[in-house]
């Protein structure tokens, strides 16, 4: 019987699994070898820096999840992103970039691509198509999006921006780490390259650093492969294997992150000590309408500003019982972080309001998480 892999949960559970090839093992083995011998016969693999069967299983699943036909795993999200940029940009080119992208990505433009490789960059806030249009120059090669973006979760109109870009021969790259392919498929909306930190929800257990890119344009059918191979930015097969393990529960985890996220965001929004919540799942959020058009749901990462001095808020959050303080996100555990703690002028350069706190809502019981936040916030009264 032909199996139907068109539904997402089937895809992540079974696609790429070939029981007949591996002695019926329900979990495919880890090919933790460097080279592949070929005296009698070549099986198509040569060297694990180039390609590896364990890595390929994960790549097939992610390509399908992103509705693409090509996916490549990398050693980290940053390896996937920097390799994509190096693949598309040459000296003398220009890029239009959303200002609130993941901070190390902006730093790569500001400290490496722009001053050392002569690549022009124009930053835009990202919520106005006219701003993109005005930023485009004759030598613009790429538009770099992250929707929703880091820390303030600004939603960009992927379809409209892609249409504009393509009318001028410009490629659109998008970091889809927040929404994940479970809730958003930018390739279907017109984007050319999707990039992820698989260290977040795709990995989902706070135990893997990895990255991935996906494309569907036949012109990009080997996209990133040369960079990954040359820079040695390959993922370890063990990590790829763990990622396949993670993908089997991916739809379940994302459904729960969405439920928990919405519950906590709504709780925060009505709390008397909260000034503003940044979360595109809330109807009050500036990105709600557009987000609903291009996303099917929301993850558990959100930010807020409280009605108290930021140092006091930080102290209050340190009293939380379920939320640990730490960077990153996407695991089963709830976390808080303080991106809005720096100098206001420096924060303005990355579109972060002063006093912004970020929380990652994990997979714990949502009522307990709300109660925990309530206790902490009430100490600010
Ligand atoms: C974490 C993150 C990255 C970088 O990924 P690593 O796996 O840590 O290299 C890129 N983009 C976003 C939005 C992220 O949150």
């Amino acid at each position: 019987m032909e199996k139907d892999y068109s539904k997402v949960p089937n895809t992540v559970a079974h696609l790429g699994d070939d029981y007949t090839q591996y002695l019926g093992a329900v979990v495919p083995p880890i090919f933790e070898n460097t080279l592949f011998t070929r005296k009698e016969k070549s099986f198509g693999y040569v060297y694990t820096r180039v390609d590896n069967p364990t890595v390929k299983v994960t790549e097939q699943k992610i390509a399908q999840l992103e509705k693409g036909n090509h996916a490549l795993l990398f050693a980290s999200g940053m390896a996937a992103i920097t390799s994509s940029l190096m693949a598309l940009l040459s000296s003398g080119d220009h890029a239009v970039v959303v200002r609130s992208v993941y901070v190390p990505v902006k730093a790569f433009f500001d400290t490496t691509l722009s001053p050392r490789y002569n690549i022009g960059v124009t930053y835009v806030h990202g919520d106005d198509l006219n701003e993109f249009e005005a930023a485009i120059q004759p030598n613009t090669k790429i538009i770099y999006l992250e929707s929703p973006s880091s820390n303030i979760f600004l939603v960009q109109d992927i379809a409209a921006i892609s249409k504009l870009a393509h009318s001028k021969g410009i490629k659109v790259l998008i970091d889809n780490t927040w929404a994940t392919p479970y809730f958003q498929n930018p390739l279907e909306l017109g984007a050319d390259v999707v990039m992820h930190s698989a260290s977040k929800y795709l990995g989902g257990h706070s135990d893997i650093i990895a990255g991935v890119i996906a494309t569907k344009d036949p012109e990009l059918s080997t996209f990133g492969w040369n960079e990954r191979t040359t820079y040695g930015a390959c993922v370890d097969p063990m990590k790829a294997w763990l990622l396949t393990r993670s993908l089997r529960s991916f739809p379940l985890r994302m459904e729960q992150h969405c439920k928990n996220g919405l519950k906590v965001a709504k709780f925060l929004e009505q709390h008397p000590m909260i000034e503003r919540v940044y979360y595109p799942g809330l109807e009050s959020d500036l990105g709600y309408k557009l987000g609903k058009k291009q996303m099917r749901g929301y993850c558990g990462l959100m930010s807020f500003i409280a009605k108290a001095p930021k140092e006091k808020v930080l102290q209050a959050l340190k009293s939380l019982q379920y939320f640990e303080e730490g960077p990153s996100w996407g695991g089963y555990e709830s976390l808080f972080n303080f991106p809005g703690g720096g100098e206001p002028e420096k924060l303005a350069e990355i579109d972060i309001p002063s006093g912004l706190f970020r929380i990652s809502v994990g997979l714990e019981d949502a009522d307990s998480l709300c109660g925990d936040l309530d206790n902490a916030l009430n100490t600010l009264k």
Side-chain angles (χ1 to χ4, degrees), residues 76-79 81 102 146 150 175 177 197-200 209-210 329:
S76 68
M78 283 308 293
I81 292 167
Y102 186 62
E146 184 182 315
S150 283
D175 185 330
T177 305
S197 168
S199 321
K200 313 294 164 52
I209 297 282
W329 43 278

Side-chain angles (χ1 to χ4, degrees), residues 19 21 81 85 142 151 190 231 250 271 321-322 334:
Y19 305 131
Q21 211 180 328
I81 292 167
L85 292 172
I142 64 156
N151 297 308
Y231 308 157
F250 175 60
H271 197 282
Q321 299 299 299
Y322 292 104
S334 291

Side-chain angles (χ1 to χ4, degrees), residues 206-254:
S206 305
D207 58 5
I208 307 166
I209 297 282
V212 66
I213 57 176
T215 60
K216 75 170 179 187
D217 181 350
E219 245 182 67
L220 298 174
S221 65
T222 59
F223 182 76
W225 187 82
N226 187 42
E227 285 69 28
R228 182 177 77 174
T229 302
T230 308
Y231 308 157
C234 55
V235 72
D236 187 276
M238 175 71 193
K239 300 244 182 83
W241 182 85
L242 278 170
L243 197 46
T244 287
R245 173 267 337 236
S246 298
L247 289 177
R248 294 183 202 280
S249 62
F250 175 60
L252 297 173
R253 290 187 284 107
M254 294 320 295

